C-alpha cells in the first residue's frame, strides 16, 4: 500500500535499494562488534588494523557513535593521521545516521487518514471511480495538508491522496 504512489517519501523510504545502506547492516545502534568491524573494514580510508581493534575491544554500534579521539587512543589507535581519518569517518556515519532521522509533525489522525486513502486506492480496479478525498476535521486540515505535502510532494502525488486527478 505504501508503494502505490512511487514518488512519495514513504515509497522511497521502503524501496529495497535504500535499505541496503552501509552494507545492509541496519541501524547503527543495533550493530554488534562484528558488524562494527565489518563496517570499518569496508571503509577505504580506514586501515585494517582499526577494524581489528574494534573487534578485539568488542566495540558495538552505540559505542562507536560516541567514540572520540581519546577513546580511539585507549584501544590502541595512536597514529595522528589514522585518528583523523577514523574520527572523520565516524563523523560521516553519525551525520548520515542523524540525517536519516526525519522530524516531521506526526499526527496519528492524519496518518490514519492517509493510510485509509491508500487502502481505498489499492482496492480500485482500472476503470473504477476513484474514492473521494478523505473528510478531514476542520482543526486538522492544515496539519493534514502539511503531512501530505511532506510525504507526497508534487501535484500528482498529493492528488493521489486527495482523491482527484492532477
Amino acid at each position: 500500500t505504501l508503494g502505490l504512489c512511487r514518488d512519495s517519501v514513504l515509497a522511497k523510504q521502503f524501496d529495497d535499494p535504500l535499505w541496503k545502506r552501509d552494507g545492509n547492516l541496519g541501524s547503527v545502534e543495533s550493530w554488534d562488534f562484528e558488524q562494527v568491524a565489518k563496517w570499518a573494514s569496508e571503509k577505504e580510508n580506514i586501515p585494517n588494523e582499526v577494524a581489528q581493534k574494534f573487534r578485539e575491544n568488542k566495540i558495538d554500534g552505540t559505542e562507536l557513535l560516541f567514540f572520540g579521539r581519546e577513546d580511539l587512543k585507549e584501544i590502541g589507535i595512536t597514529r595522528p593521521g589514522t585518528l583523523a581519518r577514523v574520527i572523520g569517518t565516524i563523523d560521516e556515519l553519525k551525520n548520515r545516521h542523524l540525517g536519516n532521522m526525519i522530524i516531521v509533525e506526526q499526527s496519528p489522525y492524519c496518518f490514519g487518514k492517509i493510510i485509509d486513502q491508500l487502502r481505498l486506492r489499492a482496492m480500485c480496479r482500472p476503470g473504477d471511480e476513484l474514492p473521494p478525498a478523505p473528510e478531514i476535521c476542520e482543526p486538522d486540515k492544515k496539519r493534514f495538508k502539511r503531512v501530505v505535502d511532506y510525504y507526497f510532494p508534487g501535484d500528482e502525488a498529493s492528488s493521489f491522496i486527495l482523491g482527484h486527478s492532477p
Side-chain angles (χ1 to χ4, degrees), residues 125-140:
R125 293 185 210 130
D128 283 356
E129 187 175 323
L130 296 177
E135 291 188 29
I136 309 300
C137 295
E138 191 60 43
D140 291 302

Side-chain angles (χ1 to χ4, degrees), residues 136-151:
I136 309 300
C137 295
E138 191 60 43
D140 291 302
K141 284 185 178 184
K142 282 184 178 178
R143 178 181 299 134
F144 182 76
K145 179 159 179 21
R146 279 194 307 269
V147 172
V148 168
D149 288 345
Y150 174 79
Y151 283 109

Side-chain angles (χ1 to χ4, degrees), residues 74-143:
E74 199 171 304
I75 64 168
I77 302 166
T78 57
R79 187 174 166 276
T82 301
L83 285 168
R85 286 190 284 170
V86 174
I87 291 294
T89 306
I90 291 172
D91 286 345
E92 287 174 13
L93 179 66
K94 286 180 193 176
N95 290 338
R96 244 187 4 262
H97 176 69
L98 293 174
N100 289 338
M101 294 173 56
I102 299 169
I103 299 172
V104 141
E105 180 179 6
Q106 299 295 330
S107 161
Y109 172 81
C110 293
F111 219 78
K113 291 288 190 174
I114 290 170
I115 297 297
D116 289 346
Q117 189 69 8
L118 288 170
R119 287 180 181 144
L120 289 171
R121 291 292 296 255
M123 291 187 293
C124 288
R125 293 185 210 130
D128 283 356
E129 187 175 323
L130 296 177
E135 291 188 29
I136 309 300
C137 295
E138 191 60 43
D140 291 302
K141 284 185 178 184
K142 282 184 178 178
R143 178 181 299 134

Side-chain angles (χ1 to χ4, degrees), residues 1-152:
T1 303
L2 295 176
L4 279 175
C5 188
R6 296 224 176 269
D7 291 338
S8 76
V9 172
L10 292 171
K12 291 176 183 173
Q13 186 172 358
F14 293 102
D15 188 24
D16 282 344
L18 296 179
W19 281 80
K20 295 181 181 172
R21 291 184 197 131
D22 287 317
N24 203 19
L25 292 173
S27 173
V28 178
E29 288 100 343
S30 68
W31 292 357
D32 62 19
F33 71 92
E34 289 294 342
Q35 290 170 304
V36 169
K38 180 181 186 311
W39 167 81
S41 68
E42 291 175 350
K43 296 298 174 184
E44 291 180 17
N45 61 332
I46 296 181
N48 288 334
E49 65 262 15
V50 172
Q52 187 58 36
K53 294 286 186 187
F54 286 154
R55 186 176 283 112
E56 288 170 7
N57 289 278
K58 298 186 179 344
I59 305 302
D60 66 27
T62 301
E63 293 166 334
L64 180 67
L65 290 173
F66 288 104
F67 248 59
R69 183 174 293 273
E70 293 306 312
D71 302 305
L72 291 169
K73 286 180 180 179
E74 199 171 304
I75 64 168
I77 302 166
T78 57
R79 187 174 166 276
T82 301
L83 285 168
R85 286 190 284 170
V86 174
I87 291 294
T89 306
I90 291 172
D91 286 345
E92 287 174 13
L93 179 66
K94 286 180 193 176
N95 290 338
R96 244 187 4 262
H97 176 69
L98 293 174
N100 289 338
M101 294 173 56
I102 299 169
I103 299 172
V104 141
E105 180 179 6
Q106 299 295 330
S107 161
Y109 172 81
C110 293
F111 219 78
K113 291 288 190 174
I114 290 170
I115 297 297
D116 289 346
Q117 189 69 8
L118 288 170
R119 287 180 181 144
L120 289 171
R121 291 292 296 255
M123 291 187 293
C124 288
R125 293 185 210 130
D128 283 356
E129 187 175 323
L130 296 177
E135 291 188 29
I136 309 300
C137 295
E138 191 60 43
D140 291 302
K141 284 185 178 184
K142 282 184 178 178
R143 178 181 299 134
F144 182 76
K145 179 159 179 21
R146 279 194 307 269
V147 172
V148 168
D149 288 345
Y150 174 79
Y151 283 109
F152 300 89

